[in-house]
Amino acid sequence: MRTALFPGSFDPFTLGHLDILERGLRIFDRIEVTVAINSSKKPLFEPEERCVLIEACVAHLDGVSVHSFEGLIAAHARERKAVALLRGLRQVSDFEYERPMASANRKLLPGLETVFLLPAQKYGLISSTIVRDIHRWGGDVSAFVPGPVLEALRSKR
Ligand code: ADP
């Protein structure tokens, strides 16, 4: 059984995240979506709400579990016996942000690989930040997020 962690803020989970997760499942037997708890940021959705929403978005997929976590992701990977971290790459700026993190994680846990996947082109410009901004001003985000997230955003208004 090869397990990967898919760590991220997922505030909120988007169709781009779902696309990366579905691609990752063709490579790994199990993927644990790891919702990062960052107590210094005021999130749109609390970590527990994000977990519940992601669970609803991935209900059709086998081999996926969802947890929240605060701390070093490499320590969590060791504990969960994960062989890789899964991350998505949209553009060059993502690579510049990801590369030092991947290198640090490999130093912290030798053998822990970071696997980068490219989303389908139609999802390549979606980000949680853009979704939050459009939502804040009452715009339609139905092209960017799965159904359960769309409903949760509507009921937040
Ligand atoms: P973080 O705060 O850790 O960057 P995010 O929730 O923004 O958390 O992203 C988690 C992972 O998903 C990152 O690797 C990010 O590059 C990737 N990602 C975010 N949006 C997309 C998208 N539209 N397509 C592909 N990958 C994405």
Side-chain angles (χ1 to χ4, degrees), residues 6-10 16-17 20 87-88 90 94 97-98 119 123 126:
F6 181 25
S9 308
F10 305 116
H17 293 132
I20 295 297
R87 298 283 288 176
R90 288 159 292 187
D94 279 348
Y97 173 72
E98 297 285 344
Y123 301 134
I126 300 177

Side-chain angles (χ1 to χ4, degrees), residues 34-106:
T34 307
V35 175
I37 301 175
N38 182 348
S39 22
S40 66
K41 274 197 208 163
K42 175 79 191 99
L44 177 59
F45 291 103
E46 293 303 324
E48 282 319 310
E49 287 181 280
R50 277 178 258 161
C51 287
V52 170
L53 282 178
I54 296 170
E55 272 162 7
C57 297
V58 303
H60 61 295
L61 298 173
D62 284 334
V64 181
S65 59
V66 186
H67 309 271
S68 58
F69 175 73
E70 184 166 29
L72 270 184
I73 199 70
H76 190 53
R78 179 188 290 125
E79 202 174 286
R80 305 299 303 167
K81 298 192 177 14
V83 296
L85 302 178
L86 177 63
R87 298 283 288 176
L89 280 188
R90 288 159 292 187
Q91 54 215 348
V92 174
S93 56
D94 279 348
F95 177 71
E96 287 169 349
Y97 173 72
E98 297 285 344
R99 193 177 176 174
M101 282 201 303
S103 162
N105 282 322
R106 188 188 265 171

Side-chain angles (χ1 to χ4, degrees), residues 78-150:
R78 179 188 290 125
E79 202 174 286
R80 305 299 303 167
K81 298 192 177 14
V83 296
L85 302 178
L86 177 63
R87 298 283 288 176
L89 280 188
R90 288 159 292 187
Q91 54 215 348
V92 174
S93 56
D94 279 348
F95 177 71
E96 287 169 349
Y97 173 72
E98 297 285 344
R99 193 177 176 174
M101 282 201 303
S103 162
N105 282 322
R106 188 188 265 171
K107 282 210 169 61
L108 290 169
L109 183 57
L112 178 66
E113 298 298 337
T114 304
V115 172
F116 297 103
L117 296 180
L118 305 179
Q121 215 169 349
K122 61 184 171 181
Y123 301 134
L125 295 174
I126 300 177
S127 73
S128 298
T129 307
I130 285 177
V131 169
R132 288 197 304 272
D133 285 347
I134 296 174
H135 169 73
R136 184 181 318 137
W137 300 110
D140 176 17
V141 292
S142 55
F144 304 138
V145 296
V149 174
L150 190 62

